[in-house]
Amino acid sequence: MTTGLTLRLPPITVDRWVNSPPLTPDDLHGRVALIDIWEYTCINWIRTAPYVKAWHRHYADLGLTVVGVHVPEFAFGRDAGNIEQAVRDHALTYPVAMDNEYAFWRALRNDAWPAKYLFDTDGRLVDRWVGEGAYEQVESEIRRLLQARAPGTELPPVSGETTEFAATGEPSYLGITPETYLGADRGVPGSYVVAGDWRSEGEYVELASGGGELGLPFDAGEVNLVVDPGPDGPATVQVLLDGNPIGHERGADVGPDGVVRIDRARMIRLVAGASRGDRLLTLVTDQPGLRAYVFTFGP
């Protein structure tokens, strides 16, 4: 919650816009504004995206403007082509701003992905939410502000996405393996193992030559990896679970042959619906230049 804060919507000083000409606080005056701070490889944002899209779809014609502000976590996230592809992949139709230099991030005093900032029609901050969840609260506040903007406005029913979330509740992340970074800057020694000629850089580990393996002990139902195929183009990676080719517990990006094909820097879904316990994920590749950044997990 933002109790005690008096932040007003600052100038949206960014590098590039998609789906919209540049927007200013004056342009948004008179409308309710939801600022969604996102990063296209962040699993937490990916899980929240359906709700943000639903709010845009339900309320844009009634006075809500959603602005997605992409702020890169990794160097490849500064590439306009990568972000424009992500906008297409996720079917984002609302305005998107690329804040490569963190200017708007700093103006908001933001410190996390994803984060949502809701401003009223006068540009005053009403509330802030970080991470996943609280979708009922966000939509309730949007609806309240739209009614205040134009009393008597007939609003549609609460979005199906939010209604379903309210019925099922927040999944429990208790006991699952925490986010695991691989590079020299944030990697934790012993959290993963490699075989072959790997080198550790600030943001990632990179296969320098020949073939290599990357092993990850974990306890979770879902495993994802942020990865870049490297300068030599598309890469293939064989996925093993507990030493065997992955079968029915494969993630959405792994083919029936147990292989994932990586054509650009992105997040790939490796494991889904896995039984919990002490498991071992092994990735096998012969693509020098392949870079692995961070593993993320779900229940």
Side-chain angles (χ1 to χ4, degrees), residues 101-170:
E101 304 306 321
Y102 285 61
F104 189 61
W105 168 291
R106 289 192 296 270
L108 289 173
R109 302 195 291 275
N110 189 55
D111 58 2
W113 295 273
K116 297 170 184 64
Y117 293 78
L118 185 62
F119 293 87
D120 68 14
T121 54
D122 289 322
R124 290 187 295 260
L125 180 64
V126 173
D127 216 331
R128 171 183 184 256
W129 299 269
V130 174
E132 301 175 45
Y135 306 119
E136 310 102 309
Q137 297 174 26
V138 180
E139 186 160 356
S140 177
E141 282 296 277
I142 289 171
R143 294 169 67 89
R144 182 182 69 81
L145 293 176
L146 291 175
Q147 288 281 13
R149 173 183 182 267
T153 296
E154 184 174 344
L155 298 177
V158 172
S159 67
E161 288 81 358
T162 297
T163 300
E164 182 178 352
F165 177 83
T168 59
E170 185 96 38

Side-chain angles (χ1 to χ4, degrees), residues 23-24 43 68 119 163 189 212 221 240 253 298:
L23 296 175
T24 69
I43 184 59
F119 293 87
T163 300
L240 307 177
D253 292 309

Side-chain angles (χ1 to χ4, degrees), residues 8 11-12 35 59 61 78 92 102 120 125 134-135 139 159 183 196 201 204 211 276 279 283 287:
R8 298 189 69 88
I12 309 176
I35 306 298
Y59 304 116
D61 291 342
R78 298 174 183 271
L92 307 184
Y102 285 61
D120 68 14
L125 180 64
Y135 306 119
E139 186 160 356
S159 67
E201 301 290 347
Y204 53 81
R276 294 287 303 275
R279 311 296 299 273
L283 305 180
Q287 176 87 353

Side-chain angles (χ1 to χ4, degrees), residues 15 17 20 61 72 77 99 114 119-120 123 144 176 178 204 209 212 214 226 253 269:
D15 303 85
W17 286 83
S20 173
D61 291 342
D99 187 18
F119 293 87
D120 68 14
R144 182 182 69 81
I176 71 169
Y204 53 81
S209 63
L214 176 59
V226 177
D253 292 309
R269 299 179 184 271

Side-chain angles (χ1 to χ4, degrees), residues 66-277:
V66 174
V67 179
V69 180
H70 184 274
V71 186
E73 182 174 10
F74 305 109
F76 62 73
R78 298 174 183 271
D79 182 275
N82 286 335
I83 312 312
E84 290 170 356
Q85 183 62 53
V87 168
R88 293 189 292 271
D89 289 345
H90 292 282
L92 307 184
T93 57
Y94 48 76
V96 170
M98 300 183 194
D99 187 18
N100 284 353
E101 304 306 321
Y102 285 61
F104 189 61
W105 168 291
R106 289 192 296 270
L108 289 173
R109 302 195 291 275
N110 189 55
D111 58 2
W113 295 273
K116 297 170 184 64
Y117 293 78
L118 185 62
F119 293 87
D120 68 14
T121 54
D122 289 322
R124 290 187 295 260
L125 180 64
V126 173
D127 216 331
R128 171 183 184 256
W129 299 269
V130 174
E132 301 175 45
Y135 306 119
E136 310 102 309
Q137 297 174 26
V138 180
E139 186 160 356
S140 177
E141 282 296 277
I142 289 171
R143 294 169 67 89
R144 182 182 69 81
L145 293 176
L146 291 175
Q147 288 281 13
R149 173 183 182 267
T153 296
E154 184 174 344
L155 298 177
V158 172
S159 67
E161 288 81 358
T162 297
T163 300
E164 182 178 352
F165 177 83
T168 59
E170 185 96 38
S172 173
Y173 289 81
L174 182 66
I176 71 169
T177 301
E179 192 171 42
T180 302
Y181 284 87
L182 303 177
D185 290 345
R186 289 184 282 180
V188 176
S191 59
Y192 63 94
V193 295
V194 295
D197 183 17
W198 294 82
R199 60 171 171 252
S200 182
E201 301 290 347
E203 293 185 345
Y204 53 81
V205 293
E206 177 179 325
L207 183 61
S209 63
E213 297 184 6
L214 176 59
L216 176 79
F218 74 96
D219 180 359
E222 170 190 324
V223 185
N224 313 293
L225 173 65
V226 177
V227 62
D228 184 340
D232 290 339
T236 58
V237 176
Q238 183 182 11
V239 182
L240 307 177
L241 189 57
D242 299 329
N244 300 307
I246 194 167
H248 69 279
E249 295 174 313
R250 63 188 172 91
D253 292 309
V254 182
D257 58 356
V259 173
V260 59
R261 292 161 176 83
I262 307 160
D263 59 352
R264 64 187 183 279
R266 62 188 180 99
M267 190 205 78
I268 54 175
R269 299 179 184 271
L270 297 171
V271 178
S275 58
R276 294 287 303 275

